[in-house]
Amino acid sequence: LVIAYLFSYAIEKMMFLTFKEKAKQRLRTFTELKIVAITASFGKTSIKNYLNQVLSKKFTTYMTPRSVNTMAGILKDVNDDLPLNTQVYIAEAGARAKGDIDEITRFLEPQIAVIGSVGEQHIEYFKTLDNIIYTKMEILNSPRLEHGFVHESVPILEYPKIRKFPDSLHITMSNLDGIWFDLEVGGKIEHFYAPILGSFNAINLTAVILVAHQLGMSIDEIKLALSELKPVAHRLELIKAGGKVILDDSFNGNLEGMLEGVNLASTYKGRKVIVTPGIVESTEAANITLAKAIERVFDLVIVTGDLNKKIFEREIKAKQVIF
C-alpha cells in the first residue's frame, strides 16, 4: 500500500507539473496580455467581478470564473478557457497555507496586483493574523509587477509602485438605491455613483477605479461603467418578488459586510426576517457582535445549522428565534 501510494503521488505530481508547463507556454503566446491578480480575506470575488465589468467597456477581458482561485483551478482555466483575444486577464488568488499565493504569482507574473481587505477569515488555517497578512502580500512577488494597490489593513511600507487605498475615499450616501462617494484620482477629487448596495463596496470600487485608471481608462469612461454595474450574485443582491424585498447576501462571510446588510435591512419599514448560519470560519467575538446587531433590527431570526447556535441562543432574547 505504501509503495502504491508513493507511486500514485509521483505520477500525480508529474502530471501536475506537465499541466503547469503547458499553461505557462500558453500564457507566453499572449505577448500584449495584461494580468491583474487579486487577493483578500474578503471581497476579492466582488472586486474581480466589478473590475471585469468596468474594464470590458474598453478592453477584451476575461476573469477566472466563479470563485476559482487555486493553483490547479487557474491552470485549468488558462489551458482550457482563456480566449486568445484576451487583452486583460483578471485572476483571483486564494490561499489555505503560506506559499499558495506566491506559487500563483510566480506562475501568472501579473503586472498589476490588488490586495483587498485583510482580516481573520480562515484563521483556523493560518493561526495568526500576521500569517494571513504575509501570505496575502505574496501577490506582490511578481517579477513583472508594475503597480500594486494595497488595502490600508495591510501594514506595508511606502514604495513607488504601491498605492494604499481607500486613503481619500469619502462616502456621501448609501441606501437601497446604491452608493455615492468621492475619491482622489490623478490628483483631483472625483464624484462617483454605483447602483451597488453596501457602503463597504465603495472600498472595493476604489480598487476597481484605481486599476482601471492605471490601465488607461478615462475618468468619464469609468464613471459611465460604474453607473451601469450589475451586483455580484448572492452578495447584497437586491431582489423584489411577491411584494417582498429580499437582500440576498448568502455568499458573504465577513462581519463588516454582514453588519452592512443588517444596517440596510433596518431602513426597510416592513416586517424583517433574517435567515443565517452566523459567520462561518470566524471568531466567537465576531458572531456575538453580529447576533447583537440582528436582535436590534429583525422581528424573526432563523438560524441554520448548529455552528453558532449557542451564541444566538445566549445573545438573542427579545425576538423570536427558530433553529
Side-chain angles (χ1 to χ4, degrees):
L1 286 174
V2 171
I3 293 172
Y5 171 77
L6 293 174
F7 180 75
S8 173
Y9 178 81
I11 293 295
E12 184 179 338
K13 188 71 173 178
M14 190 163 50
M15 291 176 65
F16 179 82
L17 292 174
T18 301
F19 200 51
K20 184 176 181 180
E21 181 58 29
K22 178 184 175 184
K24 193 69 174 178
Q25 291 296 333
R26 190 163 194 270
L27 273 184
R28 292 191 182 111
T29 65
F30 295 83
T31 55
E32 303 296 325
L33 181 67
K34 289 287 186 179
I35 299 177
V36 181
I38 301 165
T39 191
S41 293
F42 48 88
K44 55 185 176 290
T45 302
S46 294
I47 294 173
K48 177 184 71 175
N49 277 271
Y50 296 145
L51 182 60
N52 184 62
Q53 289 186 57
V54 170
L55 292 180
S56 65
K57 301 294 184 181
K58 188 179 181 74
F59 306 100
T60 302
T61 63
Y62 178 78
M63 66 177 181
T64 48
R66 303 175 303 280
S67 293
V68 169
N69 59 24
T70 64
M71 189 70 218
I74 291 172
L75 290 180
K76 185 178 187 304
D77 194 47
V78 170
N79 276 322
D80 298 346
D81 299 316
L82 180 62
L84 292 174
N85 65 338
T86 303
Q87 294 175 295
V88 183
Y89 181 32
I90 307 166
E92 178 181 338
R96 290 295 172 92
K98 288 181 178 180
D100 284 356
I101 291 177
D102 183 66
E103 184 182 18
I104 292 171
T105 302
R106 300 289 181 180
F107 167 71
L108 288 175
E109 298 185 359
Q111 294 95 333
I112 295 179
V114 178
I115 304 178
S117 302
V118 175
E120 295 181 334
Q121 272 61 36
H122 306 307
I123 193 76
E124 69 274 26
Y125 301 113
F126 293 96
K127 308 305 180 187
T128 69
L129 182 58
D130 282 346
N131 288 339
I132 295 173
I133 290 171
Y134 293 137
T135 300
K136 300 302 182 187
M137 288 174 64
E138 291 172 358
I139 206 166
L140 300 174
N141 292 342
S142 171
R144 294 195 301 169
L145 185 70
E146 296 174 2
H147 217 90
F149 299 96
V150 180
H151 188 264
E152 60 187 14
S153 59
V154 178
I156 190 172
L157 298 175
E158 297 292 330
Y159 293 96
K161 291 182 178 181
I162 304 297
R163 170 163 175 177
K164 299 290 284 290
F165 72 92
D167 52 356
S168 60
L169 174 67
H170 174 64
I171 301 169
T172 56
M173 186 164 61
S174 173
N175 56 34
L176 290 174
D177 294 318
I179 46 178
W180 291 257
F181 59 97
D182 300 332
L183 181 69
E184 182 183 329
V185 186
K188 181 182 176 183
I189 298 295
E190 300 287 351
H191 312 287
F192 298 93
Y193 161 74
I196 302 299
L197 302 188
S199 59
F200 65 88
N201 265 318
I203 298 174
N204 295 332
L205 292 177
T206 295
V208 169
I209 292 165
L210 295 175
V211 172
H213 194 250
Q214 178 70 24
L215 286 173
M217 289 187 73
S218 70
I219 295 299
D220 287 340
E221 288 173 329
I222 295 171
K223 286 182 178 179
L224 179 60
L226 285 183
S227 70
E228 298 174 350
L229 276 185
K230 299 291 188 294
V232 180
H234 314 301
R235 289 174 170 85
L236 274 183
E237 180 182 10
L238 183 67
I239 303 168
K240 295 184 179 180
K244 297 177 178 65
V245 174
I246 302 167
L247 289 179
D248 181 359
D249 203 27
S250 52
F251 279 15
N252 197 346
N254 69 87
L255 177 61
E256 181 184 4
M258 294 182 80
L259 289 177
E260 181 67 16
V262 172
N263 181 57
L264 283 169
S266 71
T267 66
Y268 183 71
K269 297 187 184 301
R271 185 168 183 262
K272 291 176 276 291
V273 179
I274 186 169
V275 182
T276 180
I279 312 175
V280 180
E281 297 182 334
S282 192
T283 62
E284 180 178 347
N287 276 287
I288 290 172
T289 301
L290 176 64
K292 289 179 177 178
I294 286 173
E295 184 178 38
R296 289 193 297 270
V297 172
F298 291 92
D299 303 293
L300 172 62
V301 182
I302 301 173
V303 179
T304 60
D306 294 328
L307 182 63
N308 295 302
K309 181 180 179 181
K310 290 182 179 179
I311 293 173
F312 278 84
E313 282 180 326
R314 186 175 69 244
E315 299 297 332
I316 300 181
K317 303 292 187 183
K319 302 294 175 68
Q320 182 184 3
V321 183
I322 298 173
F323 294 98

